[in-house]
Amino acid sequence: MKTSELQGAALDWAVHIAQGLSEEDFVIVDSLYGPQWRGPEYSTSWQEGGPIIEREVISLIHPKYDCWTAHCYDKTLDDESYTLDGPTPLIAAMRCFVASRLGDEADIPEELK
């Protein structure tokens, strides 16, 4: 999937992987509502996503009424920069973080798409 389109469980999973954590650390449970992410909710919880924003020095601006923009640098690749948008500051920031670590596209388990 394109990093710029990630949201919900797919985005939370990608953030988890971008941090270098194991795929085995998350749980997908089949329920009446389909597969569910049972890991940290980085894209909706400031308690989970906030430390990543601070650690990675992700900048956030609110240029439009319905859009946030996040900007960060990949410290491992000659300070290449990334700018991504999202409907909330956490979604924009987590998309930016994933792009800086995994690139413009991320392999997402089919169950989470």
Side-chain angles (χ1 to χ4, degrees):
M1 285 183 76
K2 290 183 178 183
T3 305
S4 62
E5 297 174 357
L6 291 174
Q7 61 184 356
L11 178 54
D12 292 333
W13 183 88
V15 171
H16 191 77
I17 298 304
Q19 293 184 88
L21 301 173
S22 171
E23 292 181 31
E24 297 169 3
D25 291 338
F26 70 92
V27 178
I28 299 174
V29 178
D30 287 323
S31 68
L32 293 174
Y33 303 104
Q36 302 291 309
W37 168 256
R38 294 292 184 209
E41 296 177 343
Y42 303 104
S43 65
T44 57
S45 168
W46 281 98
Q47 185 175 4
E48 301 291 345
I52 295 171
I53 294 170
E54 184 176 356
R55 181 185 73 228
E56 300 298 321
V57 192
I58 299 173
S59 301
L60 288 160
I61 59 171
H62 191 43
K64 300 178 188 172
Y65 176 71
D66 60 348
C67 178
W68 285 84
T69 299
H71 182 83
C72 67
Y73 291 95
D74 179 355
K75 300 170 193 135
T76 63
L77 296 174
D78 300 324
D79 287 334
E80 185 173 346
S81 69
Y82 297 85
T83 302
L84 280 94
D85 296 329
T88 69
L90 278 173
I91 290 174
M94 294 305 104
R95 285 176 177 172
C96 192
F97 173 67
V98 170
S100 75
R101 297 291 178 91
L102 303 180
D104 294 333
E105 294 193 7
D107 292 327
I108 305 298
E110 197 62 40
E111 305 87 40
L112 296 178
K113 291 182 182 178

